[in-house]
């Protein structure tokens, strides 16, 4: 499921649609919000990216433009030319984006998409930032100045409040996003312990609780008794982008469960002291974990196992084997777990420590592998880029199968995909989506609680993220051959039914588009120097 691609040629719009061509000099469109509107851009379009604030960023050869739902230009930045998709990172749950510049005199920027203001700019000559993240609970912006230095800014006033110099022995384990830039995406989420305090993991042999109001360390975990705390000894940062589970807190006794190399560590979240013997918790690499009343359910190479909270020892005589466990997906549906085992879905019985096949092996068309498992009502939906299969979780019957043959990629799209692969998430996506599917299962811990903040104050006032789709929708690029839709375009698939609810014909092989799910709009490149904003029915 992708929401930004690249297009090359103009296509035809439906004859019945209301088309309003706008001269870009004004861009003061009077079109109704949900009419189909074509916006003439001054130069060739190479990027469309929807932000969480509902403003679409449109990159052209000469500038970066901000276009709102009414097709008006909110601002433009003429120093940011030919910006590629991988150089724009939407700072999730906020009104901010991080834009990586290029060239010998490049200067990266954090911009407010609502008004174009630049953030975290001290004005110091030669100073640059290499990555950024938003800390929603305290409305802060963290900008990376180097592998061991972070500047912390207050978003409301756009002022720096302190320098955070974390004791990260081997540097912050950020992922590369573009040349000379990094992203905090794929790292462990900031796990709040109070209104202005949080547990943070920034790299190998680093785990600490910080007072976010001043950057002071409340406690730092002692790694001396543990092996593998150096890269040359096989150690690695516990990033979800490297396949590790998201760390989680058991609300019932304030225990933090943290995946580390080949073991699971239990930490007292109040003081940072280990709850298990350092030699315990030898589980193997933990791909996913769920905090339950009866224990800690983990997914490792050996399969599924229940871990005793008191000792860190296995509770089952043997794990539930899952074929291809390192690529398996696990989903919790109201306390009942389902997993993918070599493209077949199994139902897990936690009381007996067994798994029962729910389906036969599901084979995706086009040689694709599954990448996502979701629960929608009575359906379990298994997805890839161009495939979707809905399975009734009560009967195991396949409710629908959807496949759209990919249109094939041009050279530009291939280059972009290679760059984006550097920050691709691991297959265990379900363990990372804590903000949408919940954090802990026990003790009331879930998404939206004190543990995981989703939005900045500005975003909460606007009603939340525009890019969080929900409602079970997938967009697939393809080439249509129907009478009423002929040519390259994008199909909108309702994953609740498997039905294609809309076809957007763009005439472009490599799709440049993005979706404002909150307002029900799709922005797509419809010509070399134009974009179209169309209502989603």
């Amino acid at each position: 499921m992708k929401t930004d691609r690249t297009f090359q040629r103009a296509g035809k719009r439906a004859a019945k649609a209301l088309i309003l061509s706008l001269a870009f000099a004004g861009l003061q469109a009077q079109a109704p919000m949900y009419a189909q509107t074509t916006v003439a851009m001054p130069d060739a379009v190479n990027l469309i990216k929807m932000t969480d604030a509902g403003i679409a960023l449109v990159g052209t050869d000469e500038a970066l433009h901000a276009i709102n739902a009414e097709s008006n230009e909110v601002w433009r930045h003429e120093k940011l030319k030919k910006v590629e998709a991988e150089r724009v990172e939407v700072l999730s749950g906020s009104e901010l984006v991080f834009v990586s510049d290029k060239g010998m005199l490049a200067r990266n920027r954090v911009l407010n998409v609502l008004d174009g203001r630049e953030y975290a700019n001290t004005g110091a000559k030669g100073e640059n930032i290499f990555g950024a993240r938003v800390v929603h609970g305290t409305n802060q912006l963290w900008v990376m100045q180097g592998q061991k230095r972070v500047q912390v800014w207050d978003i409301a006033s756009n002022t720096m409040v302190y320098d955070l110099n974390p004791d990260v022995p081997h540097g912050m384990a950020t992922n590369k996003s573009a040349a000379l830039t990094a992203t905090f995406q794929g790292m462990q989420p900031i796990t709040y312990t109070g209104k202005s305090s949080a547990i943070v993991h920034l790299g190998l042999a680093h785990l600490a609780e910080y007072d976010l109001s001043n950057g002071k360390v409340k406690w730092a975990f002692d790694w001396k008794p543990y092996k593998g705390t150096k890269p040359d000894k096989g150690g690695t940062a516990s990033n979800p982008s490297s396949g590790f589970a998201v760390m989680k807190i058991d609300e019932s006794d304030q225990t933090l469960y943290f995946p580390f190399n080949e073991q699971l560590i239990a930490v007292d979240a109040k003081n940072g002291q280990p709850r298990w013997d350092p030699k315990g918790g030898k589980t193997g690499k933990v791909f996913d974990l769920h905090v339950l009343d009866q224990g800690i359910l983990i997914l490792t190479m050996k399969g599924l196992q229940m871990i005793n909270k008191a000792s860190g020892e296995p509770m089952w005589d043997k794990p539930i084997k899952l074929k291809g466990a390192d690529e398996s997906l696990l989903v919790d549906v109201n306390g009942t777990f389902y997993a993918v085992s070599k493209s077949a879905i199994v139902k897990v019985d936690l009381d007996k420590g067994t798994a029962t096949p729910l389906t036969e092996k599901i084979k995706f068309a086009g040689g694709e592998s599954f990448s996502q498992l979701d629960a929608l009502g009575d359906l379990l939906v298994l997805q890839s880029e161009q495939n979707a299969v809905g399975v009734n979780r009560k009967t195991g019957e396949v409710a629908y199968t959807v496949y759209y043959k990919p249109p094939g990629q041009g050279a530009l799209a291939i280059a972009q995909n290679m760059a984006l692969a550097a920050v691709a998430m691991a297959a265990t996506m379900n363990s990372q989506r804590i903000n949408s599917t919940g954090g802990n299962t026990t003790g009331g811990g879930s998404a939206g609680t004190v543990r995981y903040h989703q939005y900045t104050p500005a975003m909460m006032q606007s009603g939340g993220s525009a890019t969080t789709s929900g409602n079970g929708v997938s967009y697939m690029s393809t080439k249509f051959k129907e009478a009423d839709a002929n040519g390259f375009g994008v199909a909108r698939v309702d994953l609740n039914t498997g039905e294609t609810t809309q076809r957007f014909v763009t005439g472009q092989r490599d799709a440049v588009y993005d979706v404002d799910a909150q307002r029900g709009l799709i922005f797509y490149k419809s010509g070399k120097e134009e974009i179209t904003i169309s209502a989603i029915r």
Side-chain angles (χ1 to χ4, degrees):
M1 213 164 33
K2 293 287 185 183
T3 54
D4 49 71
R5 314 274 176 88
T6 318
F7 280 43
Q8 292 177 342
R9 294 186 56 213
K12 296 179 179 179
R13 259 65 63 196
K16 295 182 180 180
L18 173 62
I19 299 178
L20 178 61
S21 296
L22 302 174
F24 194 84
L27 274 181
Q28 301 298 317
Q30 301 300 316
M33 184 173 179
Y34 296 109
Q36 177 166 299
T37 305
T38 297
V39 182
M41 305 300 291
D43 301 287
V45 175
N46 52 57
L47 162 74
I48 297 176
K49 180 159 286 193
M50 179 55 58
T51 66
D52 280 14
I55 302 294
L57 296 182
V58 180
T60 69
D61 286 352
E62 296 301 324
L64 183 66
H65 311 268
I67 308 295
N68 64 17
E70 291 79 18
S71 68
N72 298 322
E73 183 187 45
V74 182
W75 53 265
R76 75 172 73 176
H77 202 304
E78 295 181 349
K79 291 185 178 181
L80 295 172
K81 307 175 187 296
K82 298 182 179 180
V83 178
E84 298 97 342
E86 68 270 17
R87 292 184 174 273
V88 179
E89 179 182 347
V90 175
L91 300 183
S92 179
S94 80
E95 63 276 25
L96 305 180
V97 294
F98 173 67
V99 183
S100 167
D101 202 357
K102 55 186 177 181
M104 293 296 294
L105 301 177
R107 187 166 66 81
N108 305 323
R109 295 170 171 85
V110 175
L111 302 176
N112 186 322
V113 300
L114 298 175
D115 53 24
R117 281 183 299 159
E118 184 175 345
Y119 282 65
N121 180 8
T122 64
K125 186 176 181 179
E127 189 172 80
N128 206 351
I129 58 178
F130 302 98
R133 83 187 302 176
V134 167
V135 182
H136 305 92
T138 46
N139 199 33
Q140 292 174 339
L141 173 68
W142 288 13
V143 293
M144 188 166 61
Q145 295 286 347
Q147 280 297 304
K148 295 186 178 182
R149 183 190 173 203
V150 172
Q151 281 185 352
V152 179
W153 291 66
D154 175 65
I155 293 177
S157 61
N158 195 11
T159 57
M160 191 178 78
V161 289
Y162 59 85
D163 262 315
L164 180 70
N165 297 303
D167 183 14
V168 187
H170 311 290
M172 285 184 285
T174 52
N175 292 299
K176 182 179 178 181
S177 58
L180 300 177
T181 55
T183 175
F184 286 96
Q185 286 185 351
M187 299 181 73
Q188 287 287 345
I190 292 174
T191 304
Y192 292 85
T193 54
K195 184 177 180 180
S196 60
S197 60
I199 298 172
V200 180
H201 169 66
L202 292 175
L204 177 61
H206 173 266
L207 184 68
E209 182 185 22
Y210 290 89
D211 183 334
L212 298 176
S213 65
N214 55 30
K216 292 183 178 180
V217 176
K218 300 184 72 172
W219 58 255
F221 190 70
D222 182 7
W223 291 98
K224 291 180 181 178
Y226 295 85
K227 295 181 179 180
T229 58
K230 297 181 179 179
D232 59 356
K233 299 296 183 180
T236 182
S238 301
N239 286 354
S241 59
S242 298
F244 286 94
V246 165
M247 61 181 179
K248 293 176 183 174
I249 289 181
D250 186 343
E251 306 287 354
S252 65
D253 63 358
Q254 301 302 298
T255 299
L256 173 75
Y257 293 96
F258 182 80
F260 170 67
N261 289 340
E262 297 293 317
Q263 69 184 113
L264 183 66
I265 296 175
V267 182
D268 188 328
K270 299 186 295 296
N271 57 30
Q273 295 299 308
R275 289 194 183 272
W276 299 337
D277 187 289
K279 296 180 180 179
K282 296 297 178 67
T283 58
K285 183 176 180 178
V286 179
F287 303 128
D288 201 354
L289 72 87
H290 293 259
V291 179
L292 309 175
D293 290 329
Q294 59 268 52
I296 311 301
L297 181 64
I298 63 170
L299 173 65
T300 71
M301 280 293 293
K302 296 179 181 179
L304 294 172
Q305 178 60 271
M306 188 72 72
I307 301 299
N308 187 295
K309 292 183 180 181
S311 65
E313 297 301 315
M315 295 175 64
W316 297 336
D317 292 335
K318 57 182 180 180
I320 299 174
K321 291 186 177 181
L322 297 176
K323 296 179 180 179
D326 58 329
E327 296 180 348
S328 185
L329 301 172
L330 185 64
V331 64
D332 176 6
V333 185
N334 301 321
T336 300
F337 285 83
Y338 299 86
V340 176
S341 179
K342 274 296 181 184
S343 298
I345 300 177
V346 299
K347 183 178 181 180
V348 180
D349 189 325
L350 296 179
D351 294 327
K352 297 179 180 179
T354 59
T356 304
L358 185 67
T359 69
E360 298 292 332
K361 183 176 180 180
I362 298 172
K363 186 176 181 180
F364 280 169
E368 288 192 330
S369 299
F370 57 83
S371 60
Q372 191 167 329
L373 177 66
D374 292 295
L376 296 173
D378 288 338
L379 291 181
L380 297 172
V381 181
L382 194 59
Q383 297 177 69
S384 65
E385 184 91 1
Q386 303 291 135
N387 286 266
V389 176
V391 176
N392 187 302
R393 61 183 172 86
K394 296 180 179 179
T395 65
E397 296 180 355
V398 175
Y400 66 78
T401 59
V402 177
Y403 171 68
Y404 276 101
K405 185 178 179 180
Q409 296 179 318
L412 181 55
I414 293 172
Q416 285 187 332
N417 288 343
M418 290 176 65
L420 291 171
V423 293
M425 295 295 99
T428 53
M429 287 294 291
N430 290 289
S431 72
Q432 299 176 48
R433 286 177 287 135
I434 54 173
N435 283 339
S436 58
T437 59
N440 307 323
T441 306
T442 187
S446 63
T449 69
V450 70
R451 297 302 174 200
Y452 304 106
H453 291 270
Q454 289 180 273
Y455 304 122
T456 60
M459 288 298 298
M460 287 189 287
Q461 292 174 7
S462 67
S465 172
T467 59
T468 302
S469 176
N471 302 321
V473 175
S474 179
Y475 292 86
M476 302 181 186
S477 294
T478 191
K479 184 176 183 179
F480 300 115
K481 296 182 179 179
E482 288 82 1
D484 59 343
N486 191 3
F488 294 113
V490 180
R492 181 182 187 270
V493 179
D494 183 345
L495 296 176
N496 294 280
T497 62
E499 296 180 358
T500 299
T501 57
Q502 267 181 291
R503 297 174 177 85
F504 300 96
V505 178
T506 63
Q508 318 291 317
R509 178 182 294 276
D510 297 321
V512 175
Y513 72 95
D514 216 334
V515 174
D516 181 341
Q518 189 181 68
R519 295 170 181 79
L521 297 173
I522 183 171
F523 291 65
Y524 60 89
K525 180 180 178 179
S526 50
K528 182 178 180 180
E529 296 182 356
E530 69 177 29
I531 66 170
T532 293
I533 307 171
S534 185
I536 297 172
R537 297 191 298 270

